[in-house]
Every structure is written in structure tokens, then in C-alpha cells.
Amino acid sequence: MRLVRTVGTACAVALTLMGCKKAEGPQGGQAGAGMALPVQVISLAPGEVQDAANYVGTLISRTSIVMYPQVAGYIQAIPVRPGTWVKDQEILLVVDPRREAAGLRATQAQRASALAQREFARRTQERSAQLLKEGLQSRQDYEQAVAQARQADASARAIEAQIQSQRVQLGFYEVSAPFAGRVGDFPVKVGDYVTPQTELTTLDQANILEVSVQVPVDRARAIQIGKTPVEVLNEEGKVVVSAPVFFVASVPSSTTQLVEVRAAFENKQGLRAGELVRTRVVYDVREALTVPTVAVTQISGQSFVYEVASVDGGTVARRAPLSVGEVTGNDYEVTGGADAGTQVVVSGLQLLRDGQPIKPMPAKPPQGQGVGGAADAGQ
């Protein structure tokens, strides 16, 4: 019985040792490190690198005005609604013109009398000239008839000028759009009394817009008028429109010490004047070696990549320090530590260790944002 128990115990110990040894297999320890991990790799190559910075810009209409009346009076009608598109010379608001219209009618009545007097004086002058020629009238009477004809003509001309002025003045009672555009809000209503200092509404034409951006003084020195582009971005960071700078302020703002930069563009995107937009000023574009941000890891402020290396006939991932610059899109600019053609790992970095055996495969084409979809890597 003791012999059977001893043999059974020995067998149990042996099975236990075998189980422990099996546990040290592929699941962990050194054995796991010897397995080749499938990874995706790319070869570093030169790409376009931008020296750019993002700002908040303001859209400004190149044709935007505040409408004021040129006369005083009570508002009689507002025939358009706020926010509607109006044609050139379309009536926006009417000030009560009845008093001015009555004055015009009175002046027109005076005009008829003045024209009749002028015609009578002209005929009198003609008769006086004939009588003077026949010796039947004195020179003094003739000259008096000439003076009366001239006075009547002057009076008629004055009445004509007054009528023309009143007609122009009467036209001011209808506030019309000086150009086609979109009407803003009306802070007044029918029945309100307005003066030439009363703001009626705004009129914007958004066919041509300007984007105004405030940039630091040192960056403004690098801007070239007609060459440096300003890009308007949408919520996803994609370029909606790009236009060259046409204006750089000669002095910075006294309050912010920033320099205003403007670019103009044709608005085919439905943007609105006064809108705040994301913008990017591209100060410089050049060719440089780049690496995907997803391939870069940061340890204590130092950047590293896993390069593909051959060791004893096998392929391993070798961690190598790398110097990087600014991010353009989803790539870092490589400023040192790697050369064109160097193969680096772009997938499974969290599973890699220095010297890890790997099975390299060409990286799949990026879908959406960056290789592997890590749009925010390295930021």
C-alpha cells in the first residue's frame, strides 16, 4: 500500500511539473517573445510639409452697408421681410411722403402761372421791339419790356428747379436698395418716427467675401501678398476655400498686438458675412522626409519609431530614436534620426518590444484619416 501511494504521489508531482512547464510556453515568458508578430510597415519617403498655423477668422462682406433714411418722418410701410434677398433699387422701407407730395403739387401749380407769365412777357417784348423799330415806342419802354421778359423767364426757371429738387426729395421717402443683396433685421416698425440718424437695416452682398485673420507680428513678416494662402476649414478640418492674402496691416492692433491679414474669395459655399470660421495660414510649403504620426511613440519627451531590422537571419523590430518637427495632416516632419527608405512599423506598436521578432507586411492604404485611422496620434 505504501508503494502504491509513493508511486501515485510521484506521478502527481510529475504531472504538476509538466503543467508548470507547459504554462511557461507560448502564453508568456521568453517563449512568447520568440514568436513573430505580424505587423504593417511602410518605407519613409519625402512628402509635402507645410509651415502653417490655425486661427479663428471672421468673414466680412465686401459690399455691406447700414441703411439710413435721408429724410425725417413716420414709417408708412416696410414691404420686405428681414433676411430676404432683394434686387437693385427694390424698395425696402417707405417714410410717409404726404407733406412733401403736397408741397410738390403746390409748386407745380405755381409753375403753370410762371410759364404763363413768361409767355406773356416774351410776346410783350416782341411787340415792343416792333413798335421801337417803327418809332412808335420809346427805347425806355422797350428796355422795360425786355427786363420783364427776362424776370419772367428767371422766375419760371426757378420754379422748374424747385420742382426738380422736390421730386428728388420726394424720392428719398422711399428707401431703396443701392445694390442686390440680403436684407438684415429691421429695428424699427411701421409708425415709428425716424430721422437721418436712425438705423433702418443692413444690406449684405455675400458673392464676394473677405476672411479677416489676426496673426502674431513675427508670423506676419513671413506673409507674401498675393502668394501666402489663407484656408477656410470646415468642422472636420477639411479645406472649404483657399485664397491668397491681399492685405496685411501695416501696424499691429494696439490692444492685442496682432496683425490683421485679409484674403478675398468668391463665395460659392453659402458662407455668411459676420460668421466666425476656422482658418489656416500656410506660411511655407516644402518637400521633406515625413513619418506617419501613428508610427511615433513618445517616452519621456523623446520620440521613437520601430524600424525593421535583420538579426541572425530573422526580422525584428528595433526601437530607434527620432527627431520630428511640426505635424502636417497625419504626418510628422522628420528632422533627424532616419533616412528615406527606412522601413518603420505602423501597426501593433502597443504589443512590440525592442528586438521583438516580427512578420512585416505592406501597410494597407489609409482609410479616412491616416494610416491605421489614428487621426489624433502625436498631438
Side-chain angles (χ1 to χ4, degrees), residues 80-81 83-88 90 180-183 204-207:
V80 299
R81 294 183 178 181
T84 57
W85 182 269
V86 296
K87 301 177 181 178
D88 184 17
E90 186 172 344
R182 192 172 301 278
V183 180
D204 295 313
Q205 188 181 82
N207 294 339

Side-chain angles (χ1 to χ4, degrees), residues 43-47 288-291 339-342:
S43 295
L44 299 186
L289 193 64
T290 60
V291 60
D339 299 319
T342 301

Side-chain angles (χ1 to χ4, degrees), residues 39-43 343 346-347 359-365:
V39 294
Q40 297 180 13
V41 300
I42 66 164
S43 295
Q343 288 190 317
V346 295
S347 69
K359 182 181 179 181
M361 295 180 295
K364 298 178 181 179

